[in-house]
Amino acid sequence: MKNKDLYKEVFSQVHTSVQINVEDYQIMKKQHFPVRTFVALAAIVALMAAMTATAVALNLFGLRDLAFPDRTAIQIPHVDASTGDISYEDRVVDMISLQGYADTPENQACAEWNDFYWDYVSDKHFSNDPTGLDPKYDVYSVYDQTMAEKLDEIVDKYGLKLHRAIEDVPDREAWLERFGPTFLSDMNIGFFGYAYDDGTCAFDGDADLGPDYSAVSYQFHYSRKGYLDTVSLNVGNLADYQDWDYQTKDGVPVKLSLGPHRSFIWADLEEGFLFINVLNGTEGDETFAAVPIDQKGLESLADQFDFSVLS
């Protein structure tokens, strides 16, 4: 099995409360069973705090606008390409929500659930198919009644709703049928993914950016506003990314972030929040991209979607 195939086999799409890790493409395998599975003068500090609060509300800090309040301690998996064995490394990283800016209820709810989830499950073992829980928790990582009550508490606190049902979306043709024939360009292949009944959806894909680049792999995520979605992304260190604004050929304003090994495209749309995790950066990626990507390449990828259809 090739390296890329191995990683994709071990770390595929997720629709649960799993942290997606940038370094090793840690997007945990999609489950088909129910997923219940800094010192300064006081005046300076005060000024910085005021500036930060205003900037976040106005979404001025780029990728930082999506970040959870605190850095997170996680375990990064490493796959031995020859044996398939997985080892883990402890790190403290920046995490972001894929559901919206930090001042939105969707982001805050995701952060609160993730804080609770990883603290609660760290020393426990659960069945993959617990009994006695309401079926409404089937598409969330809810393993017992305590977790169910916490999920309900967060939903009520932030005025959100739960996903109710999920379906597999098998291929490019199915995505074009869902969003229309202009959604993906001819050089943009969307693969297997999933969609919730409310329109939240995700899939993996590859796109050909032309002769100056290698094909680039990406992970597409669209989260409908008003719903609790719990997918989070480890971006390593926020200081490593260069952010800028861009308008796609279809006239949709998006934000782009270019990092060493990963890059991102996101947009706060009328009905949902779009986020694309691009598996390439300024230093390339030995598993997913032979040729590094630059600003022009990332803009080219953004142009291979018609994001206007998401509204």
Side-chain angles (χ1 to χ4, degrees), residues 256-272:
L256 307 180
S257 289
L258 186 63
H261 304 289
R262 296 292 180 265
S263 304
F264 312 117
I265 302 169
W266 78 94
D268 187 12
L269 303 176
E270 181 179 357
E271 297 182 357

Side-chain angles (χ1 to χ4, degrees), residues 105-106 109 152-162 225-228:
E106 292 86 358
D152 288 338
E153 175 191 324
I154 291 175
V155 167
D156 291 342
K157 177 179 178 179
Y158 293 100
L160 302 176
K161 293 180 285 187
L162 294 174
K225 294 180 179 179
Y227 291 86
L228 176 63

Side-chain angles (χ1 to χ4, degrees), residues 130-151:
T131 58
L133 292 178
D134 192 303
K136 72 178 185 177
Y137 304 114
D138 282 357
V139 297
Y140 290 90
S141 295
V142 172
Y143 302 99
D144 61 18
Q145 190 59 38
T146 298
M147 300 184 76
E149 292 172 359
K150 183 62 177 182
L151 194 74

Side-chain angles (χ1 to χ4, degrees), residues 115-133:
D115 285 345
F116 162 78
Y117 179 90
W118 293 108
D119 180 66
Y120 187 74
V121 305
S122 61
D123 59 351
K124 297 178 177 65
H125 298 280
F126 303 96
S127 166
N128 285 334
D129 190 19
T131 58
L133 292 178

Side-chain angles (χ1 to χ4, degrees), residues 19-70:
Q19 297 168 342
I20 304 173
N21 289 314
V22 161
E23 293 88 345
D24 293 298
Y25 186 45
Q26 185 195 2
I27 292 192
M28 305 302 295
K29 184 168 179 140
K30 177 177 177 287
Q31 304 297 313
H32 289 281
F33 50 79
V35 240
R36 326 258 230 215
T37 37
F38 190 152
V39 173
L41 296 174
I44 297 178
V45 173
L47 177 61
M48 287 295 294
M51 290 175 62
T52 299
T54 303
V56 169
L58 296 177
N59 304 319
L60 299 178
F61 285 159
L63 193 62
R64 294 179 183 274
D65 290 335
L66 312 182
F68 291 168
D70 301 311

Side-chain angles (χ1 to χ4, degrees), residues 83-98:
T83 66
D85 292 340
I86 304 176
S87 60
Y88 294 87
E89 173 190 354
D90 293 329
R91 291 191 197 174
V92 177
V93 300
D94 290 311
M95 300 292 300
I96 65 172
S97 165
L98 305 193

